Amino acid sequence: MAGTKNNHNEQGSDQNQNTKLPFEDADETMCDADVADDITSADYYFDSYSHFGNKKTFIFEASLIEMLKDVVRTKSYRDVIYKNKFLVKDKIVLDVGAGTGILSLFCAKAGAAHVYAVECSQMADTAKEIVKSNGFSDVITVLKGKIEEIELPVPKVDVIISEWMGYFLVYENMLDTVLYARNKWLVDGGIVLPDKASLYLTAIEDAHYKEDKVEFWNDVYGFDMSCIKRRAITEPLVDTVDGNQIVTDSKLLKTMDISKMASEDASFTSPFKLVAKRNDHIHALVAYFDVSFTMCHKMIGFSTGPKSRATHWKQTVLYLDDVLTVCEGEMITGSMTIAPNKKNPRDVDIKLSYSLNGQHCKISRTQLYKMR
């Protein structure tokens, strides 16, 4: 399954150790026998983290704690609001995908006139309790439902805030929902927090992991199980990458301006040129993203890159069929196409084309990946 963590970097920070991603064990988590047959995949997504009483409580709690304890994520949002109170003070704020309501609480404490916290899952009921326990029931209204289906008590809002980003930026993300809310409710001149997100690409040496987890299938106690290897190669891995593994520079693939973009802009093809910074072997390309809040008095943002402090988003590793032998200064050229899967828009289809015309390696290849 795309995104499964396999302790790829045993030297990573504590917050990335021994924790499961929310969609591990998905067959059980999303397919409990007592769930009605007519519930859609989107319904499973919205409710998969919100059941305190069932046998998957530990998965929910682990993912919730992981997000809230993600210091980079949570403190960045807090700093944006507390250090730039003018953004929300006396404003009507819409929190899209509110979860526990932590962003709504930040806004209320910073002086927002009112906050509408919209959460589709059962977590909305818990968020109401949290809001009440902290004395903000008169400022924060928690609304349970999908943004596309609810009606707000007000015609327009001044600010939309959301932690919409998914793994690989666009996997199982809420971008479309944020854009829908922006188009329907944001007042002219209103702001979206965050308003910029950029996706980057680099390349790494990763011989040990690839040999242990991918090439292993070529000979399993004398039997050929390489069909599993093909599956492993085509499903990107979400994990923490050691910065020392990076062989090339990083290149920007796409910057999304959330305040202006259209939904279809999330599907794109971007060319890239990666320049080797040392003589080495390349086993995978790695994608990560940066987020910016440009409306602040002094811009605030954070990176999920391998050389930055670790976040729960980690990085996304795309293993190559080939091992690329590169010399310092040589260039890998190519393009990456990213689009939602046609059957399930929360999945992501990736087409990677790359070429190397080096001293020791000449190759041109196209690979297809799916995050699901």
Side-chain angles (χ1 to χ4, degrees):
M1 174 176 289
T4 303
K5 185 180 189 300
N6 289 305
N7 292 324
H8 174 234
N9 174 21
E10 295 181 357
Q11 303 301 318
S13 68
D14 290 343
Q15 78 174 56
N16 295 297
Q17 300 269 340
N18 302 319
T19 57
K20 283 192 172 185
L21 299 185
F23 43 88
E24 285 192 335
D25 295 333
D27 289 344
E28 294 184 56
T29 306
M30 295 186 178
C31 300
D32 287 342
D34 58 348
V35 177
D37 291 338
D38 59 350
I39 293 181
T40 67
S41 60
D43 293 323
Y44 284 130
Y45 170 79
F46 286 121
D47 262 350
S48 59
Y49 316 135
S50 61
H51 299 288
F52 284 99
N54 67 21
K55 62 184 179 181
K56 295 301 176 182
T57 296
F58 73 97
I59 294 178
F60 161 73
E61 291 178 344
S63 62
L64 182 61
I65 291 171
E66 184 183 33
M67 287 188 288
L68 290 176
K69 284 192 173 183
D70 184 337
V71 174
V72 175
R73 162 200 181 265
T74 308
K75 284 192 174 181
S76 293
Y77 276 89
R78 187 192 66 179
D79 288 348
V80 166
I81 297 165
Y82 285 4
K83 294 181 179 180
N84 301 272
K85 292 183 178 180
F86 69 91
L87 293 175
V88 299
K89 185 173 176 57
D90 300 324
K91 304 288 180 62
I92 304 297
V93 179
L94 173 60
D95 182 357
V96 177
T100 60
I102 185 66
L103 303 186
S104 295
L105 292 167
F106 289 157
C107 292
K109 191 172 182 179
H114 204 89
V115 183
Y116 294 99
V118 180
E119 172 58 41
C120 186
S121 76
Q122 298 296 329
M123 177 53 63
D125 299 326
T126 304
K128 290 179 182 179
E129 293 183 39
I130 293 172
V131 168
K132 183 178 180 181
S133 297
N134 286 275
F136 286 107
S137 295
D138 58 335
V139 180
I140 302 174
T141 299
V142 179
L143 300 172
K144 184 177 179 181
K146 298 178 182 179
I147 280 287
E148 295 83 357
E149 297 174 0
I150 67 163
E151 288 297 330
L152 293 181
V154 293
K156 293 290 180 180
V157 300
D158 303 299
V159 180
I160 292 177
I161 190 167
S162 179
E163 193 267 85
W164 59 266
M165 301 78 69
Y167 299 103
F168 191 61
L169 184 59
V170 294
Y171 174 63
E172 286 198 339
N173 69 86
M174 295 193 303
L175 179 56
D176 275 351
T177 299
V178 172
L179 298 182
Y180 179 93
R182 180 202 67 186
N183 294 341
K184 184 172 183 178
W185 284 302
L186 189 63
V187 69
D188 289 343
I191 62 173
V192 181
L193 300 173
D195 58 324
K196 297 286 178 63
S198 299
L199 186 65
Y200 292 87
L201 192 68
T202 189
I204 62 169
E205 181 281 327
D206 204 11
H208 176 75
Y209 185 90
K210 189 178 181 186
E211 181 67 30
D212 185 46
K213 302 297 185 182
V214 178
E215 303 301 337
F216 164 81
W217 298 108
N218 288 331
D219 184 353
V220 182
Y221 299 102
F223 296 99
D224 180 358
M225 297 189 181
S226 57
C227 59
I228 298 178
K229 171 185 172 180
R230 290 303 314 150
R231 184 183 304 172
I233 285 283
T234 59
E235 296 182 353
L237 174 76
V238 173
D239 206 348
T240 302
V241 172
D242 190 326
N244 293 324
Q245 295 176 264
I246 298 174
V247 177
T248 70
D249 58 358
S250 295
K251 292 300 181 184
L252 173 67
L253 291 177
K254 177 78 169 181
T255 294
M256 299 180 183
D257 185 339
I258 317 306
S259 63
K260 299 177 181 178
M261 68 178 289
S263 179
E264 54 267 24
D265 295 336
S267 300
F268 58 89
T269 298
S270 292
F272 63 83
K273 295 180 181 179
L274 298 175
V275 180
K277 298 190 290 185
R278 63 175 187 253
N279 296 349
D280 213 327
H281 303 284
I282 291 173
H283 302 87
L285 300 189
V286 174
Y288 63 92
F289 63 89
D290 294 354
V291 170
S292 301
F293 301 80
T294 69
M295 301 301 292
C296 298
H297 179 66
K298 184 177 180 181
M299 190 178 75
I300 294 175
F302 62 85
S303 176
T304 65
K307 291 187 176 181
S308 300
R309 184 170 180 175
T311 72
H312 78 281
W313 287 286
K314 305 177 179 71
Q315 293 86 43
T316 301
V317 184
L318 299 93
Y319 284 101
L320 304 178
D321 286 331
D322 312 285
V323 177
L324 308 184
T325 302
V326 294
C327 298
E328 182 178 358
E330 290 183 347
M331 186 180 301
I332 302 168
T333 61
S335 65
M336 180 174 283
T337 299
I338 299 170
N341 181 265
K342 293 181 179 179
K343 291 184 178 179
N344 184 356
R346 290 190 177 276
D347 293 348
V348 179
D349 292 334
I350 303 166
K351 180 181 179 182
L352 172 65
S353 298
Y354 59 91
S355 298
L356 172 63
N357 186 21
Q359 180 180 346
H360 302 296
C361 184
K362 301 181 188 299
I363 194 166
S364 182
R365 188 181 293 275
T366 296
Q367 290 183 227
L368 303 178
Y369 304 85
K370 179 182 287 186
M371 296 192 73
R372 56 194 175 100

